[in-house]
Amino acid sequence: MTIQAALFRSCALALAIAGLAVAAHPQSDNAPRRAPTVDSTAVGSISGRVTLPSGDPVNNRVRITLSTLNDPGMTGFTDNNGSFTFSNLRAGNYSIEVVGDHKLFEPTTEQVFLPRGASITVNITLREKNAATENKAIGIVSAAETDEKIPEAARKEYDKATGLASDGRVSEAVESFKKALAIFPAYLRAHNDLGAQYLKLKRLDEAAAQFEAALDINPKVFNPRLNLGIARLEQKNYSDALEHLNQAVALDSSSAAAHLYLGVVLEETDELEAAERELRSALSLGGPAMAVGHFYLAQLQMKKGDKDQAVSELTIFLKESPNNELAPRARRILDTLKQQ
C-alpha cells in the first residue's frame, strides 16, 4: 500500500494521503451557509479548519469571509472548533480571510484555486501580532516559546520559509527554517514545519527528528505528534506509528486526519475491527473530503473476504473522489472483483 507523505504549512496541517487533503468537521449550524459565487450547476466546495499558532484548534467561533475579485464575499463564522465549509462553488480563484481576536492575531488571508467540481480542504493558522506574547488561558504557543522572546531575525527567517514553502520552493524553505532554528533552537513551529518539508522530500529520518525536537519542547502539541505518527507510518515502523497516532487521537479526538491515519496503520497490521472503527470515524468527521477512507475500507473488506462490501466501498470512493491518485488503482481492483 502506497501512502503519500503529508503536507504541512505554517504549523497548520494540510495533510495528504494518496492525494487527498484532510478536512475537519462538516459544516455546523454556525458556519457560513452560502458562498458568493453560486450557480445551479456548481458542485465544488472549500472546507477546512482554523488553528492557533501552536497547531491546536481554536476554541471559539472565528469570523471568516470567502470572496472573489468580482464579489465582495459572504461573511460568517466557523464552529467552535474552527471548522468551516463553503458549498456550491464554481471553479475559480478565491480569497479566504480569517479574523480572530484583534488583540492577539493579525488578519490572515489564504488564496485558493478551486477546479471545477472539486472539493478541497485548507487549514489556516492564525498569526500572532507578537509571537512573544503569552496567553496561558488558550495556550497560544508552547511554554518553551513563551519563556523567551523569539528573536526578530528568527521570526523573519520563519516567515520567509513559510512563504517559500507556499510557493513550492521546498529546498529553499528548508534552508530558511534551518536558519530560524540556528538563531532560536527552541522554535517549536520551525521544527514542525521543517519536518513537513523533509516529508515532502521523502527525507523521513530527518522529518522524524524535527517532529521529535518539537515534542521535546512541548509533548502535548497535536501537530508534531500526528506528523511523527505519519512519518513512522511512511517508514513502515508500525509500532511507533501506532503509539504516536493513538496519542494524536487522544489529544484531538475530533481530527479526521488522526483517525484516518490510525485506521491505515491498524489495517496494515491486520487489526481489522479497530481499523474499520477508525476509518469510519474519519469518514464521519471529515465527510466526502475523507473519501479515501472508503478505499482503505475496501482493502479491509477484501482481507475479510467480503467481496460485495469491497465493491460497495470502492464504488463510493470513485463516486466521491474520481480524480484521486488512487482512483486508477481502485478501478482496476473493482473491475477484477466484478469479474470474479
Side-chain angles (χ1 to χ4, degrees):
M1 183 184 304
T2 300
I3 301 175
Q4 180 179 324
L7 305 178
F8 307 84
R9 193 161 95 201
S10 188
C11 203
L13 291 184
L15 298 172
I17 187 165
L20 171 74
V22 170
H25 299 300
Q27 179 169 302
S28 75
D29 289 340
N30 300 303
R33 288 297 183 181
R34 64 175 179 86
T37 54
V38 177
D39 66 22
S40 60
T41 62
V43 293
S45 66
I46 299 173
S47 59
R49 173 181 281 186
V50 179
T51 62
L52 298 171
S54 64
D56 296 324
V58 296
N59 56 5
N60 55 9
R61 299 170 191 169
V62 177
R63 192 177 77 193
I64 186 165
T65 301
L66 182 74
S67 61
T68 69
L69 290 175
N70 299 318
D71 194 308
M74 171 66 180
T75 297
F77 291 86
T78 68
D79 67 13
N80 287 331
N81 291 313
S83 300
F84 63 89
T85 296
F86 294 94
S87 302
N88 298 321
L89 304 180
R90 64 189 183 193
N93 292 301
Y94 291 86
S95 177
I96 305 173
E97 183 184 45
V98 178
V99 179
D101 186 336
H102 69 278
K103 295 180 181 179
L104 299 174
F105 304 110
E106 300 285 354
T108 302
T109 301
E110 184 86 7
Q111 303 297 324
V112 177
F113 174 73
L114 178 68
R116 181 172 178 79
S119 294
I120 64 173
T121 301
V122 295
N123 291 289
I124 302 173
T125 302
L126 293 174
R127 182 177 175 183
E128 299 164 63
K129 284 190 172 180
N130 182 345
T133 300
E134 181 175 0
N135 188 320
K136 295 180 181 179
I138 59 176
I140 294 173
V141 294
S142 72
E145 286 184 282
T146 55
D147 288 344
E148 183 177 355
K149 182 178 179 180
I150 299 173
E152 184 64 23
R155 190 178 302 112
K156 286 183 178 179
E157 286 294 342
Y158 176 85
D159 291 343
K160 177 182 177 181
T162 57
L164 291 167
S166 298
D167 293 338
R169 298 160 65 180
V170 177
S171 296
E172 294 172 79
V174 165
E175 294 307 312
S176 286
F177 280 128
K178 288 167 68 175
K179 288 178 181 178
L181 287 166
I183 298 168
F184 187 61
Y187 208 153
L188 186 152
R189 282 172 284 165
H191 281 295
N192 182 76
D193 293 1
L194 175 56
Q197 304 313 307
Y198 283 143
L199 271 180
K200 294 179 186 179
L201 297 169
K202 298 291 186 180
R203 293 162 61 174
L204 301 179
D205 290 342
E206 291 165 285
Q210 292 302 319
F211 300 138
E212 288 174 338
L215 291 169
D216 285 341
I217 297 168
N218 185 347
K220 293 185 178 180
V221 177
F222 173 77
N223 283 351
R225 183 67 66 187
L226 176 59
N227 297 349
L228 182 54
I230 295 167
R232 295 305 188 203
L233 176 57
E234 290 283 347
Q235 293 172 317
K236 301 188 184 301
N237 185 341
Y238 298 130
S239 60
D240 277 6
L242 187 62
E243 177 185 349
H244 292 297
L245 291 169
N246 271 318
Q247 289 186 54
V249 169
L251 287 168
D252 184 2
S253 61
S254 69
S255 168
H259 287 285
L260 178 66
Y261 282 108
L262 179 56
V264 172
V265 172
L266 291 166
E267 193 270 328
E268 286 279 6
T269 55
D270 294 331
E271 297 289 341
L272 301 186
E273 183 177 345
E276 183 168 5
R277 182 173 61 249
E278 295 301 328
L279 291 169
R280 295 204 182 280
S281 292
L283 289 166
S284 176
L285 290 166
M290 287 284 100
V292 73
H294 290 291
F295 177 87
Y296 291 106
L297 281 170
Q299 294 206 144
L300 184 152
Q301 297 299 337
M302 286 189 286
K303 285 185 175 182
K304 292 168 62 175
D306 192 337
K307 183 186 76 171
D308 291 342
Q309 188 60 39
V311 168
S312 176
E313 297 291 352
L314 288 171
T315 301
I316 296 172
F317 168 60
L318 290 169
K319 180 181 179 180
E320 294 187 352
S321 191
N323 298 318
N324 189 281
E325 290 182 7
L326 286 174
R329 181 179 171 188
R331 293 187 182 96
R332 291 194 297 270
I333 296 171
L334 187 58
D335 289 342
T336 299
L337 290 174
K338 287 181 176 180
Q339 291 170 10
Q340 291 177 354

